[in-house]
């Protein structure tokens, strides 16, 4: 947890309290009416949007007018009551409170660093580039020339070929058979998935060069989508990550597979020429089940009957994002994310106000997902590519199936914002206050010291296994300690979380072997943080606290 987290938590509490106080102070008893009018107007707006989507002709036009008129009417009522500024200020403070609270919770948890290892540069890298992706980024940015200058062999796909799937997979497999020790793709997510499947199948590392339009996979790997050529540094100064791959049948997806209304809409030949008109034309029959597949989705113990839309993702999307559609915290959790929407009426549409707790919105995780339908085949969107696949369908995840080579220096995945939890925010703020006042648990203060290398028996230090997060307590093995240390340390735990920030900072700084880099008090004795011969960080318990005087 950083020093900013407790102050941000206090800001959230103060802003939330001020939002309520201002509303009560200037609106009095009418504040309840104001809130009710706002909630009611939002519900009517959502109902109007639902009617707009499921009807055609005059009913659709009237519903669209209602969806626009409802929020306008709410603002007019606030203005006539002379309380519009009160509502706007209170709403702004509430937004600030929620944003600050989520930021504080994210800081408390701390960023999760993916497990990575340094690797030697490949000897025979092979890259496939799609010149049609991203409006021609491959040619515009000179990616082929830059890759060849780094020693890579490059194959550019034929831009006139309408269906390059077989060609992409065939190119990748032949390259490995001819001795390629790395595969890479400059293109969109669909092309990335095809070659990623071959790389996982053949056990060679994979490089992502985000030359497509959206590049969600590259985004969740922490790559720089604005500068695809920077990803070529993975060929010379890279680290390797292990990530999961999703499968629908035997086809790989790196992002998601979608079923239902969206998948059916994108199948239409007219969709690419006029997306809005085509969507509005097809949605009424799809949402009311007049056309489209009747799906039954099973994910563990969860069963969804006739959902209008289902999204199965390679690792779950962040819980704090609207409808869950955004970024993934990690790509190595070993589970699929499942999002389903079932809305049968305007009342259920209005119920979406409850966010992820809405009865029509289902969010879950599972290792396997089965999709059944009465039809022999259903439309599916796989990483944005429209397909038609035979039912029943099974989606599963292959944990750690893909070795991804990324640049050692890259932007990284920004810290996610967890769902708002006022109880945790309050506890974070108040607990920190007590600690600062000396009435709570002691917090260590690290100081940097240097000692001669000969005085530190690095080889005898206990090995810490890789763990998630900033570190966990580990019992010491007396066999690794010197005789004079065994009695002092037997039965005590190394409390590594006291050194969490130093562990992450020094591990990536490449601190010299054998240096004592920090000391501090863990609550069960003093401890020393050192760097071993493989640059892994170790914490050793030295002496227990003195017993209290009798």
């Amino acid at each position: 947890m950083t020093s900013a987290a407790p102050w941000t938590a206090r800001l959230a509490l103060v802003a939330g309290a001020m939002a309520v106080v201002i509303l009560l102070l200037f609106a009095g008893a009418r504040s309840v009416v104001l809130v009710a009018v706002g909630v009611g107007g939002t519900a009517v707006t959502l109902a109007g949007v639902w009617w707009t989507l499921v009807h055609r002709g005059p009913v659709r036009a009237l519903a669209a007018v209602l969806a626009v008129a409802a929020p306008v009417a709410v603002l007019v009522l606030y203005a006539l009551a002379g309380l519009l500024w009160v509502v706007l200020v209170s709403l702004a403070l509430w937004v600030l409170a929620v944003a600050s609270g989520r930021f504080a919770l994210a800081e408390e948890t701390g960023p999760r660093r993916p497990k990575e290892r340094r690797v030697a540069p490949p000897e025979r890298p092979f890259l496939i580039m799609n010149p049609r992706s991203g409006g021609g980024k491959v040619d515009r940015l000179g990616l082929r020339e830059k890759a060849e200058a780094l020693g890579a062999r490059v194959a550019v796909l034929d831009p006139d070929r309408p269906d390059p799937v077989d060609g992409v997979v065939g190119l990748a497999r032949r390259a490995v058979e001819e001795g390629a020790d790395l595969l890479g793709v400059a293109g969109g997510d669909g092309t990335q998935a095809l070659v990623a499947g071959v790389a996982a199948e053949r056990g060679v590392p994979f490089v992502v060069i985000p030359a497509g339009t959206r590049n969600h996979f590259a985004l969740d790997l922490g790559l720089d989508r604005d500068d695809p050529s920077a990803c070529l540094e993975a060929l010379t100064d890279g680290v390797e990550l292990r990530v999961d791959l999703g499968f629908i049948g035997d086809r790989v997806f790196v992002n998601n597979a979608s079923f239902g209304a969206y998948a059916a809409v994108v199948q239409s030949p007219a969709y690419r020429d006029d997306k809005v008109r085509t969507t509005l034309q097809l949605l009424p029959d799809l949402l009311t089940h007049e056309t489209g597949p009747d799906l039954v989705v099973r994910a563990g113990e969860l069963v969804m009957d006739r959902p209008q839309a289902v999204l199965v993702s390679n690792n779950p999307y962040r819980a704090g994002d609207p409808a869950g559609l955004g970024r993934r915290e990690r790509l190595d959790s070993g589970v699929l994310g499942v999002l389903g929407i079932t809305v049968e009426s305007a009342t259920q549409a209005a119920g979406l106000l409850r966010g992820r707790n809405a009865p029509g919105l289902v969010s879950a995780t599972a290792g396997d997902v089965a999709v059944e339908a009465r039809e022999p085949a259903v439309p599916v969107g796989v990483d944005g590519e429209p397909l038609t696949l035979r039912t029943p369908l099974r989606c599963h995840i292959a944990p750690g199936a893909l070795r991804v080579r990324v640049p050692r220096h890259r932007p990284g995945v920004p810290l996610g914002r967890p769902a708002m939890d006022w109880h945790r925010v309050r506890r974070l703020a108040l607990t920190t206050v007590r600690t600062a006042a000396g009435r709570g648990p002691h917090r260590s203060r690290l100081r940097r010291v240097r000692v001669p290398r000969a005085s530190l028996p690095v080889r005898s230090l206990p090995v810490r296994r890789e763990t998630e997060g900033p570190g966990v307590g580990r019992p010491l093995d007396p066999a690794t300690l010197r005789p004079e240390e065994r009695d002092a340390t037997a039965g005590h735990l190394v409390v590594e979380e006291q050194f969490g920030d130093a562990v992450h900072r020094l591990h990536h700084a490449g601190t010299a072997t054998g240096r004592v880099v920090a000391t501090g008090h863990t609550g069960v004795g003093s401890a020393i943080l050192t760097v071993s011969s493989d640059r892994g960080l170790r914490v050793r318990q030295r002496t227990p606290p003195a017993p209290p005087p009798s």
Side-chain angles (χ1 to χ4, degrees):
M1 180 178 66
T2 68
S3 59
W7 290 105
T8 310
R10 294 166 197 161
L11 174 62
L13 293 178
V14 171
M18 289 299 298
V20 176
V21 167
I22 287 178
L23 200 60
L24 293 174
L25 185 63
F26 291 95
R30 291 181 296 173
S31 61
V32 177
V33 177
L34 292 177
V35 173
V37 169
V39 172
T42 306
V44 171
T45 300
L46 291 174
V49 171
W50 167 258
W51 286 323
T52 301
L53 295 177
V54 299
H55 292 286
R56 297 186 179 92
V59 175
R60 170 175 283 176
L62 291 174
V65 171
L66 178 64
V68 174
V72 172
V74 170
L75 293 177
V76 170
L77 289 175
Y78 288 161
L80 292 176
L83 296 172
L84 179 59
W85 73 270
V86 175
V87 174
L88 294 179
V89 171
S90 180
L91 182 61
L93 286 170
W94 189 255
V95 171
L96 174 63
V98 173
S100 301
R102 293 178 64 191
F103 183 84
L105 294 176
E107 289 290 301
E108 179 193 30
T109 305
R112 178 191 174 273
R113 295 179 181 271
K115 300 181 179 69
E116 60 183 43
R117 64 187 184 91
R118 294 292 299 272
V119 289
E123 295 181 359
R124 303 187 64 184
F126 180 81
L127 304 181
I128 298 173
M129 298 190 175
N130 187 348
R132 297 183 301 171
S133 295
K137 287 184 180 179
V138 169
D139 294 331
R140 189 167 66 251
L141 300 177
L143 295 179
R144 176 176 184 172
E145 293 77 12
K146 293 177 181 178
E148 290 176 340
L150 295 175
R153 190 159 60 97
V154 179
V156 179
L157 300 178
D158 184 353
D160 297 325
R161 183 168 181 175
D163 183 13
V165 172
D166 295 336
V168 169
V169 173
L171 275 173
R173 286 177 174 161
R174 283 195 301 273
V176 176
E177 291 169 358
E178 294 170 359
D181 58 353
L182 177 143
L183 294 176
V185 172
D189 290 321
T191 313
Q192 299 281 359
L194 294 173
V195 181
V198 177
E201 171 191 312
R202 301 300 174 94
V204 298
F206 179 65
V207 164
V208 175
I209 305 169
T213 303
R214 296 182 178 87
N215 300 292
H216 290 297
F217 188 48
L219 184 69
D220 295 332
L221 285 171
L223 300 177
D224 188 352
R225 296 188 302 172
D226 296 328
D227 185 8
S229 60
C231 298
L232 292 172
E233 293 179 9
L235 302 179
T236 56
D237 185 18
V239 293
E240 193 167 288
L241 313 175
R242 281 277 187 176
V243 303
D244 308 332
L245 282 180
F247 284 82
I248 177 169
D250 58 358
R251 185 184 176 100
V252 169
F253 60 90
V254 294
N255 291 324
N256 56 61
S258 59
F259 306 84
Y262 172 75
V265 167
V266 298
Q267 293 280 343
S268 171
Y271 177 76
R272 299 200 179 272
D273 296 329
D274 193 342
K275 293 181 173 59
V276 174
R277 183 185 297 273
T278 304
T279 300
L280 291 176
Q281 183 179 4
L282 297 178
L283 274 182
D285 292 339
L286 292 171
L287 294 179
T288 56
H289 298 288
E290 294 293 332
T291 61
D294 287 336
L295 302 175
V296 177
V297 180
R298 307 179 191 276
E301 297 181 356
L302 172 67
V303 179
M304 287 183 282
D305 187 21
R306 303 184 76 195
Q308 279 115 334
V310 176
L311 186 75
V312 180
S313 58
N314 174 23
N315 285 258
Y317 289 101
R318 287 176 175 172
D321 289 326
L325 302 180
R327 302 189 62 169
R328 292 165 287 183
E329 292 283 358
R330 53 190 297 186
L331 292 169
D332 59 354
S333 67
V335 292
L336 297 168
V338 183
L339 285 166
I341 297 178
T342 306
V343 179
E344 301 290 350
S345 65
T347 302
Q348 289 184 348
L352 294 176
L353 269 173
R354 297 172 58 184
R356 286 216 164 197
N357 295 321
L361 184 63
V362 175
S363 175
T365 60
D368 294 271
V369 177
V371 180
E372 303 169 1
R374 293 180 303 178
E375 295 80 2
V378 295
V380 184
V382 181
D383 284 335
E385 299 294 329
L387 303 173
T388 301
L389 302 178
R390 297 190 61 81
T391 56
L393 293 166
R394 175 177 173 263
C395 299
H396 71 279
I397 195 163
L402 183 63
R403 299 163 52 194
V404 180
R405 193 75 56 86
V406 296
R408 186 161 58 93
H409 302 291
R410 59 193 187 280
V413 180
L415 198 61
R417 299 289 183 263
M420 187 58 178
D421 186 333
W422 286 107
H423 177 72
R424 285 179 59 197
V425 171
R426 176 180 175 276
R427 183 178 59 187
L428 172 61
L430 296 181
T431 299
T432 307
V433 170
R434 296 192 190 102
T435 301
R439 291 171 292 178
H442 178 73
R443 297 183 65 83
S444 66
R445 294 186 178 183
L446 303 181
R447 58 185 179 89
R448 297 179 63 85
V449 297
R450 285 180 179 268
V451 299
R453 178 173 178 176
S455 67
L456 185 67
V458 175
R459 294 182 181 276
S460 68
L461 292 176
V463 175
R464 178 174 70 84
R465 298 177 182 174
E466 289 185 341
T467 57
E468 295 182 4
V472 297
R474 292 291 185 188
L476 288 177
D477 181 4
T480 65
L481 304 178
R482 294 176 294 189
E484 63 268 26
E485 296 177 317
R486 291 178 186 168
D487 294 337
T489 58
H492 292 290
L493 294 179
V494 173
V495 187
E496 289 190 34
E497 53 263 32
Q498 298 291 339
F499 298 94
D501 292 340
V503 165
H504 285 316
R505 183 173 64 254
L506 296 168
H507 179 65
H508 293 280
T511 308
T513 299
R515 182 193 302 178
V516 175
V517 292
T519 64
H521 186 78
T522 65
V524 294
S526 60
I528 292 179
L529 181 65
T530 66
V531 180
S532 71
S533 57
D534 62 352
R535 290 188 176 181
L537 290 164
R538 309 287 183 259
V539 180
R540 159 174 276 167
Q541 190 78 35
R542 298 293 289 183
T543 57
S550 57

